[in-house]
């Protein structure tokens, strides 16, 4: 899938691109059907909501589940990101977020690249976030919110929030959010026909199977899910191969260590059983839980110098 010059310009300006219904209901169902099995395991890679059994986020499904391993190699997702980053990609992070009906908690305002820099020592922001909806996303089930254009600010100041939710996150404080939103168009308004014209917060909503590409510095958040409807979504982070992380401070199921370039499967890979490897099907190996504060590789000094105060996921 090639991006048009208009799409490239929109990505540069807004920091995201939305592709409603990119995957068909039949394709999406192969993924949705695999989620209960993923969430059933009592394992560190299933992070549950605070005070609840509902899964907040599942890590590394592409290493344990064949449908997700195929999605991780899907050309409709990989090719546009390769064209935006101008290089082959590897999988830095793979999450299936639950945001379950009544139980799904907030994701505070944050950007992702700050964490990848400060925790994982990823040298530059040449990595892309991809969200794929496995449920319909509407006004009520905790849609993702973006501050359009906020990616232009690079890595912004953030604080490590260890208490609000069950997952530690480098979050951006209210004053800075206020400024970024004002810069992005502030409140939005209703036009003469009564249509809402968005301002400095935008929320792409659409059917299951929709995809969003968003910049690793785009500031984003989502509210809690007070509706009865789940909002399961896959979040993948694809990194340019030459921009691989330089430190294994976090376990491998959160920040991956295989930097080999992703080879795409054919376009119909979600509905045909192309062979894929799922090396962690019988459990995450002990080596994937080992962590180290010591950087590795030759560009370490430069990256370490760049990593100062942190941001997010
Ligand atoms: C969300 O699931 O709403 C946001 C998750 C994230 O930013 O990683
Ligand atoms: Mn995030």
């Amino acid at each position: 899938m090639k991006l048009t010059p208009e799409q490239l310009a929109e990505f540069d300006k807004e920091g995201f691109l939305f592709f409603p219904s990119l995957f068909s209901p039949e394709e999406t169902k192969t993924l949705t059907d695999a989620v209960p099995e993923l969430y059933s395991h009592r394992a560190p890679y299933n992070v549950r909501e605070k005070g609840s059994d509902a899964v907040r986020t599942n890590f590394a499904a592409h290493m344990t589940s064949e449908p997700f391993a195929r999605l991780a190699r899907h050309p409709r997702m990989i090719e546009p990101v390769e064209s935006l980053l101008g290089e082959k990609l590897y999988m830095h992070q793979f999450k299936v977020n639950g945001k379950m009906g009544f139980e799904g908690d907030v994701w505070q305002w944050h950007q992702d690249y700050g964490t990848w820099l400060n925790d994982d020592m990823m040298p530059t922001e040449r990595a892309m976030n991809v969200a794929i909806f496995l449920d319909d996303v509407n006004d009520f089930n905790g849609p993702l919110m973006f501050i359009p254009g906020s990616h232009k600010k690079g890595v912004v100041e953030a604080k490590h929030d260890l208490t609000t939710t069950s997952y530690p996150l480098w979050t951006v404080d209210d004053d800075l959010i206020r400024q970024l939103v004002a810069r992005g168009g502030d409140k939005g308004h209703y036009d003469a026909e009564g249509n809402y014209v968005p301002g400095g917060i935008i929320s792409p909503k659409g059917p299951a199977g929709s995809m969003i590409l968003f910049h690793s510095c785009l500031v984003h958040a989502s509210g809690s899910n007070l509706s009865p409807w789940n909002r399961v979504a896959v979040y993948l982070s694809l990194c340019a191969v030459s921009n691989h992380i330089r430190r294994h401070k976090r376990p491998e199921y959160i920040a991956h260590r295989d930097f080999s370039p992703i080879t795409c499967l054919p376009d119909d890979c979600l509905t045909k059983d192309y062979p894929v490897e799922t090396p962690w099907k019988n459990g995450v190996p002990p080596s994937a839980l080992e962590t180290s504060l010591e950087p590795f590789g030759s560009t370490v000094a430069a990256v370490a110098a760049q990593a100062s105060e942190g941001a997010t996921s």
Side-chain angles (χ1 to χ4, degrees), residues 95 107 110-112 129 169 214 220 235 312-313:
K95 299 184 298 205
W107 286 84
H110 69 280
Q111 49 177 196
D112 287 355
N129 277 318
L169 201 63
F214 62 104
H220 57 284
Y235 287 87
T312 142
S313 162

Side-chain angles (χ1 to χ4, degrees), residues 16-19 129-131 133 144 146 204 210-214:
F16 71 95
L17 289 172
F18 185 41
F19 303 86
N129 277 318
V130 182
F133 302 172
L144 197 55
F146 294 136
S210 301
M211 177 175 87
I212 312 172
L213 303 183
F214 62 104

Side-chain angles (χ1 to χ4, degrees), residues 28-50:
T28 310
K29 188 174 181 314
T30 64
L31 301 166
T32 317
D33 286 351
V35 172
E37 204 280 323
L38 287 184
Y39 284 3
S40 69
H41 297 270
R42 295 273 149 199
Y45 59 74
N46 273 331
V47 178
R48 289 166 202 275
E49 299 285 6
K50 206 171 180 177

Side-chain angles (χ1 to χ4, degrees), residues 61-70 73 276-283:
H62 66 308
M63 301 291 276
T64 64
S65 156
E66 290 184 5
F68 287 98
R70 294 192 186 101
R73 295 159 174 84
V276 273
E277 287 184 11
T278 48
W280 294 357
K281 204 177 182 75
N282 297 317

